[in-house]
């Protein structure tokens, strides 16, 4: 992302990272995220939250743990399940997280660095297959963490997990809203109320968005032999 920051210096790192997250979801086939921009960067590590705030993958009580982590941020059961659906993208690497296989039939050839275990067969495509795969439990090459399985084991979570497995449009709608909400938590905005459509740096943000789409598209291109 640094080349884009260098090209458009008035955009903060905080906005740029969030812009990249929303662009990646959309580029992978997911919904357009109703993002808000104008975040102010911190000036030192003392202004950042302490490490260790992310959920564990294998707690003794997965559903309770997810609620403990996300409820303190003002997120509810529907938003927890919707955000979990982001696991439709990406891989887990055992050498980094302690979870997943070193490689599978879906990851052994990349794209990018080969290896790891994905939650879905098409792990660069954003859709509702994450929920379908957990429900059907048909492929041992796909990863299911204890916190993933909890979505169909906990009665309250299951209502939404079943809904998203059956209705991709409903998942996209709820995910987009939850992603936007999560992206603004703890952020300071200047001015306090701003959107990309009225920001004083709207031209640069739109140009950066185009550059982000280009960079992400290029990164997904198969590498030459």
């Amino acid at each position: 992302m640094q080349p884009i920051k260098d090209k458009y210096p008035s955009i903060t790192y905080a906005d740029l990272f969030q812009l990249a997250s929303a662009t990646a979801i959309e580029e992978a086939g997911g919904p357009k995220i109703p993002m808000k921009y104008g975040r102010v960067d911190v000036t030192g590590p003392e202004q950042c939250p302490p490490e260790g705030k992310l959920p564990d993958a294998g707690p003794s009580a997965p559903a309770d743990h997810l609620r403990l982590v996300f409820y303190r941020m003002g997120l509810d059961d529907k938003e927890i399940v919707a955000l979990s659906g982001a696991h439709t993208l990406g891989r887990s690497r055992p050498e980094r997280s302690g979870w997943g296989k070193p490689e599978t039939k879906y990851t052994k050839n990349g794209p990018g660095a080969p290896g790891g275990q994905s939650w879905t067969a098409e792990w660069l495509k954003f859709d509702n297959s994450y929920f379908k795969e957990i429900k059907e439990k048909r492929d041992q090459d796909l990863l299911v963490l204890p916190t993933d399985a909890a979505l169909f084991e906990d009665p309250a979570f299951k209502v939404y997990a079943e809904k998203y497995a059956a209705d991709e449009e409903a998942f996209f709608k709820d995910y987009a809203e939850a992603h936007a909400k999560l992206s603004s938590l703890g952020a300071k905005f200047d001015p306090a109320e701003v959107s990309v459509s009225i920001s004083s740096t709207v031209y640069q943000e739109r140009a950066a968005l185009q550059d982000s789409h280009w960079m992400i598209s290029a990164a997904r291109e198969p590498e030459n032999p």
Side-chain angles (χ1 to χ4, degrees), residues 133-160:
E133 296 296 351
I134 296 175
K135 181 179 179 179
E136 295 172 6
K137 302 178 182 178
R138 61 185 179 184
D139 194 332
Q140 294 299 310
D141 264 349
L142 297 179
L143 181 61
V144 179
L145 299 170
T147 45
D148 298 319
L151 303 183
F152 281 91
E153 295 169 352
D154 179 86
F157 287 160
K158 186 176 181 180
V159 172
Y160 300 107

Side-chain angles (χ1 to χ4, degrees), residues 27-202:
E27 186 70 22
K32 185 175 181 62
I33 312 294
M35 298 293 282
K36 173 182 176 182
Y37 295 101
R39 294 169 184 79
V40 178
D41 282 338
V42 300
T43 57
E46 69 280 355
Q47 297 177 17
C48 298
E51 295 290 338
K53 293 289 187 178
L54 294 175
D56 294 329
S60 57
D64 291 343
H65 176 71
L66 287 173
R67 291 190 174 97
L68 179 66
V69 171
F70 287 99
Y71 277 14
R72 66 175 174 78
M73 295 186 283
L75 298 166
D76 59 22
D77 286 354
K78 179 178 76 171
E79 291 163 329
I80 291 172
V81 179
L83 289 170
S84 296
H87 276 166
T88 192
L89 297 178
R91 300 168 283 178
S92 177
R93 294 181 179 274
E95 69 272 19
R96 299 180 186 176
S97 67
W99 293 92
K101 297 179 180 180
E103 69 173 28
T104 70
K105 60 188 177 187
Y106 302 115
T107 66
K108 64 181 181 180
N109 296 319
Q117 186 175 15
S118 59
W119 285 263
T120 62
E122 296 183 84
W123 48 271
L124 289 179
K125 180 180 179 181
F126 195 96
D127 56 19
N128 66 337
S129 60
Y130 165 78
F131 298 102
K132 293 179 178 179
E133 296 296 351
I134 296 175
K135 181 179 179 179
E136 295 172 6
K137 302 178 182 178
R138 61 185 179 184
D139 194 332
Q140 294 299 310
D141 264 349
L142 297 179
L143 181 61
V144 179
L145 299 170
T147 45
D148 298 319
L151 303 183
F152 281 91
E153 295 169 352
D154 179 86
F157 287 160
K158 186 176 181 180
V159 172
Y160 300 107
E162 291 278 7
K163 178 181 179 180
Y164 298 153
D167 189 341
E168 184 175 83
E169 185 176 346
F171 167 52
F172 277 20
K173 176 181 180 298
D174 291 347
Y175 177 85
E177 293 173 354
H179 181 124
K181 180 177 178 179
L182 182 65
S183 75
S184 295
L185 292 179
K188 179 181 178 182
F189 289 85
D190 183 23
E193 293 296 330
V194 63
S195 70
V196 70
S197 62
I198 63 173
S199 170
S200 61
T201 59
V202 60

